[in-house]
Amino acid sequence: ETILFVGWFGPRGLASLLFALLAHEELGPAADEAVAIIGVTVFISVLAHGLSAEPLGSRYGRAALRRQQRPTTEQL
């Protein structure tokens, strides 16, 4: 659960935007379409992660609390 949670909410978009800027500097107007597609993709990613933050964060918090409350083998 933790790996999936961090994988979903980990850093997103920064590397893509950096590569888009590098491509735009190197290729100029020839990179305009790629830069636009990257921008839209990052925007959609930010939107999806923003909308899913509360429900998935709450779900992960409940699961973490359950894991914390389980008795260990030493307690049994």
mmCIF file of all heavy atoms in Angstrom, residues 20 24 28-41:
data_model
loop_
_atom_site.group_PDB
_atom_site.id
_atom_site.type_symbol
_atom_site.label_atom_id
_atom_site.label_comp_id
_atom_site.label_asym_id
_atom_site.label_seq_id
_atom_site.Cartn_x
_atom_site.Cartn_y
_atom_site.Cartn_z
ATOM 1 N N ALA A 20 10.892 19.683 -21.678
ATOM 2 C CA ALA A 20 10.177 20.500 -22.661
ATOM 3 C C ALA A 20 10.900 21.824 -22.888
ATOM 4 O O ALA A 20 11.049 22.273 -24.027
ATOM 5 C CB ALA A 20 8.749 20.749 -22.200
ATOM 6 N N HIS A 24 12.629 23.048 -26.301
ATOM 7 C CA HIS A 24 12.219 24.319 -26.901
ATOM 8 C C HIS A 24 13.426 25.213 -27.156
ATOM 9 O O HIS A 24 13.518 25.866 -28.204
ATOM 10 C CB HIS A 24 11.206 25.031 -26.001
ATOM 11 C CG HIS A 24 10.541 26.173 -26.674
ATOM 12 N ND1 HIS A 24 11.044 27.454 -26.611
ATOM 13 C CD2 HIS A 24 9.439 26.226 -27.452
ATOM 14 C CE1 HIS A 24 10.263 28.249 -27.306
ATOM 15 N NE2 HIS A 24 9.282 27.539 -27.830
ATOM 16 N N GLY A 28 13.630 25.254 -30.905
ATOM 17 C CA GLY A 28 12.845 26.447 -31.212
ATOM 18 C C GLY A 28 11.407 26.090 -31.556
ATOM 19 O O GLY A 28 10.806 25.201 -30.949
ATOM 20 N N PRO A 29 10.841 26.736 -32.571
ATOM 21 C CA PRO A 29 9.440 26.514 -32.941
ATOM 22 C C PRO A 29 9.115 25.072 -33.341
ATOM 23 O O PRO A 29 7.968 24.659 -33.260
ATOM 24 C CB PRO A 29 9.221 27.457 -34.123
ATOM 25 C CG PRO A 29 10.269 28.495 -33.996
ATOM 26 C CD PRO A 29 11.452 27.814 -33.352
ATOM 27 N N ALA A 30 10.111 24.305 -33.745
ATOM 28 C CA ALA A 30 9.859 22.910 -34.129
ATOM 29 C C ALA A 30 9.379 22.076 -32.938
ATOM 30 O O ALA A 30 8.735 21.048 -33.113
ATOM 31 C CB ALA A 30 11.124 22.291 -34.715
ATOM 32 N N ALA A 31 9.664 22.535 -31.729
ATOM 33 C CA ALA A 31 9.274 21.795 -30.529
ATOM 34 C C ALA A 31 7.950 22.282 -29.956
ATOM 35 O O ALA A 31 7.490 21.752 -28.938
ATOM 36 C CB ALA A 31 10.365 21.903 -29.471
ATOM 37 N N ASP A 32 7.314 23.258 -30.571
ATOM 38 C CA ASP A 32 6.096 23.849 -30.008
ATOM 39 C C ASP A 32 4.995 22.820 -29.752
ATOM 40 O O ASP A 32 4.362 22.837 -28.694
ATOM 41 C CB ASP A 32 5.555 24.954 -30.913
ATOM 42 C CG ASP A 32 6.383 26.228 -30.821
ATOM 43 O OD1 ASP A 32 7.229 26.309 -29.910
ATOM 44 O OD2 ASP A 32 6.173 27.124 -31.660
ATOM 45 N N GLU A 33 4.768 21.938 -30.695
ATOM 46 C CA GLU A 33 3.703 20.934 -30.512
ATOM 47 C C GLU A 33 4.024 19.994 -29.354
ATOM 48 O O GLU A 33 3.160 19.720 -28.516
ATOM 49 C CB GLU A 33 3.501 20.127 -31.794
ATOM 50 C CG GLU A 33 2.339 19.166 -31.701
ATOM 51 C CD GLU A 33 2.101 18.407 -33.000
ATOM 52 O OE1 GLU A 33 2.780 18.683 -34.000
ATOM 53 O OE2 GLU A 33 1.210 17.547 -32.991
ATOM 54 N N ALA A 34 5.259 19.535 -29.265
ATOM 55 C CA ALA A 34 5.659 18.646 -28.170
ATOM 56 C C ALA A 34 5.548 19.363 -26.830
ATOM 57 O O ALA A 34 5.079 18.792 -25.843
ATOM 58 C CB ALA A 34 7.078 18.138 -28.385
ATOM 59 N N VAL A 35 5.974 20.624 -26.778
ATOM 60 C CA VAL A 35 5.892 21.404 -25.533
ATOM 61 C C VAL A 35 4.431 21.574 -25.117
ATOM 62 O O VAL A 35 4.090 21.447 -23.929
ATOM 63 C CB VAL A 35 6.601 22.763 -25.690
ATOM 64 C CG1 VAL A 35 6.319 23.674 -24.505
ATOM 65 C CG2 VAL A 35 8.099 22.554 -25.868
ATOM 66 N N ALA A 36 3.544 21.819 -26.061
ATOM 67 C CA ALA A 36 2.115 21.962 -25.746
ATOM 68 C C ALA A 36 1.541 20.653 -25.215
ATOM 69 O O ALA A 36 0.788 20.664 -24.231
ATOM 70 C CB ALA A 36 1.352 22.409 -26.990
ATOM 71 N N ILE A 37 1.898 19.553 -25.831
ATOM 72 C CA ILE A 37 1.399 18.243 -25.376
ATOM 73 C C ILE A 37 1.909 17.940 -23.971
ATOM 74 O O ILE A 37 1.153 17.472 -23.114
ATOM 75 C CB ILE A 37 1.795 17.139 -26.372
ATOM 76 C CG1 ILE A 37 1.031 17.335 -27.679
ATOM 77 C CG2 ILE A 37 1.551 15.749 -25.789
ATOM 78 C CD1 ILE A 37 1.519 16.472 -28.821
ATOM 79 N N ILE A 38 3.181 18.221 -23.722
ATOM 80 C CA ILE A 38 3.750 18.001 -22.385
ATOM 81 C C ILE A 38 3.029 18.871 -21.365
ATOM 82 O O ILE A 38 2.687 18.417 -20.270
ATOM 83 C CB ILE A 38 5.262 18.274 -22.385
ATOM 84 C CG1 ILE A 38 5.982 17.190 -23.198
ATOM 85 C CG2 ILE A 38 5.814 18.327 -20.965
ATOM 86 C CD1 ILE A 38 7.434 17.498 -23.498
ATOM 87 N N GLY A 39 2.773 20.127 -21.713
ATOM 88 C CA GLY A 39 2.070 21.028 -20.793
ATOM 89 C C GLY A 39 0.676 20.526 -20.445
ATOM 90 O O GLY A 39 0.271 20.537 -19.285
ATOM 91 N N VAL A 40 -0.063 20.072 -21.446
ATOM 92 C CA VAL A 40 -1.413 19.540 -21.201
ATOM 93 C C VAL A 40 -1.344 18.271 -20.358
ATOM 94 O O VAL A 40 -2.147 18.088 -19.431
ATOM 95 C CB VAL A 40 -2.140 19.282 -22.547
ATOM 96 C CG1 VAL A 40 -3.418 18.490 -22.343
ATOM 97 C CG2 VAL A 40 -2.426 20.594 -23.240
ATOM 98 N N THR A 41 -0.381 17.417 -20.640
ATOM 99 C CA THR A 41 -0.224 16.180 -19.870
ATOM 100 C C THR A 41 0.071 16.471 -18.404
ATOM 101 O O THR A 41 -0.518 15.862 -17.507
ATOM 102 C CB THR A 41 0.897 15.313 -20.478
ATOM 103 O OG1 THR A 41 0.579 15.036 -21.837
ATOM 104 C CG2 THR A 41 1.064 14.021 -19.716
#
